[in-house]
């Protein structure tokens, strides 16, 4: 099964930065919008950011101004740059592709990467 492969994540102190990467197979990257979800402890998975093929981006209100989603077409890779991280951002971050606007509808998921922010 085709998969999205994530990298990045880890532990950082509050106020720090992390950059997540997600590489997709060519057919998925060129055919679908890409995005990032996160699942905070004891919470449902929530959409963080999306990017379409033409570069149009959208962000959830809770992280707007602190995250930037970008893509590299040559590498079939999407990035999530996260700055000014807070302890409440701690959770598992998932790359997603296609049908992004409902977690139940998303077609492809990455394996998830843990982000831990210590205060």
């Amino acid at each position: 099964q085709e998969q999205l492969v994530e990298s990045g994540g880890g532990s950082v102190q509050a106020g720090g930065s992390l950059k997540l990467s997600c590489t997709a197979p060519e057919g998925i990257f060129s055919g679908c919008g890409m995005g990032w979800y996160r699942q905070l402890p004891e919470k449902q998975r929530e959409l963080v950011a999306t990017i379409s093929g033409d570069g149009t981006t959208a962000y959830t209100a809770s992280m707007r101004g602190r995250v930037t989603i970008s893509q590299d077409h040559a590498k079939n890779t999407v990035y999530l740059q996260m700055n000014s991280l807070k302890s409440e951002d701690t959770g598992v971050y998932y790359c997603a592709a296609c049908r992004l606007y409902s977690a139940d509808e998303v077609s492809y998921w990455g394996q998830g990467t843990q982000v831990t922010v210590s205060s």
Side-chain angles (χ1 to χ4, degrees), residues 10 12-16 18 20 37-41 46 48 60-64 66-67 82-93 113-118:
V12 66
Q13 290 191 330
L18 285 172
L20 310 181
Y37 273 76
R38 67 179 183 177
Q39 189 157 18
L40 307 182
E46 64 173 351
V48 174
T60 186
S62 63
M63 295 201 81
R64 190 175 295 126
R66 299 190 295 122
V67 298
M82 302 187 291
N83 302 319
S84 302
L85 285 164
K86 307 174 182 179
S87 57
E88 52 262 44
D89 294 320
T90 294
V92 181
Y93 286 68
T113 187
Q114 177 71 41
V115 170
T116 302
V117 185
S118 58

Side-chain angles (χ1 to χ4, degrees), residues 15-31:
S17 299
L18 285 172
K19 187 174 185 177
L20 310 181
S21 301
C22 172
T23 300
E26 169 63 27
I28 294 174
F29 187 85
S30 61

Side-chain angles (χ1 to χ4, degrees), residues 3-105:
Q3 281 194 316
L4 310 180
V5 179
E6 300 179 31
S7 61
S11 297
V12 66
Q13 290 191 330
S17 299
L18 285 172
K19 187 174 185 177
L20 310 181
S21 301
C22 172
T23 300
E26 169 63 27
I28 294 174
F29 187 85
S30 61
C32 291
M34 302 284 294
W36 291 91
Y37 273 76
R38 67 179 183 177
Q39 189 157 18
L40 307 182
E42 301 180 3
K43 298 286 181 65
Q44 290 187 331
R45 205 169 287 194
E46 64 173 351
L47 184 60
V48 174
T50 62
I51 188 166
S52 63
D54 66 2
T56 301
T57 59
Y59 300 95
T60 186
S62 63
M63 295 201 81
R64 190 175 295 126
R66 299 190 295 122
V67 298
T68 303
I69 189 169
S70 61
Q71 60 190 352
D72 184 334
H73 289 274
K75 297 181 178 180
N76 294 343
T77 299
V78 173
Y79 304 97
L80 187 70
Q81 175 69 48
M82 302 187 291
N83 302 319
S84 302
L85 285 164
K86 307 174 182 179
S87 57
E88 52 262 44
D89 294 320
T90 294
V92 181
Y93 286 68
Y94 296 90
C95 181
C98 305
R99 307 176 72 179
L100 295 174
Y101 292 98
S102 168
D104 292 337
E105 299 290 332

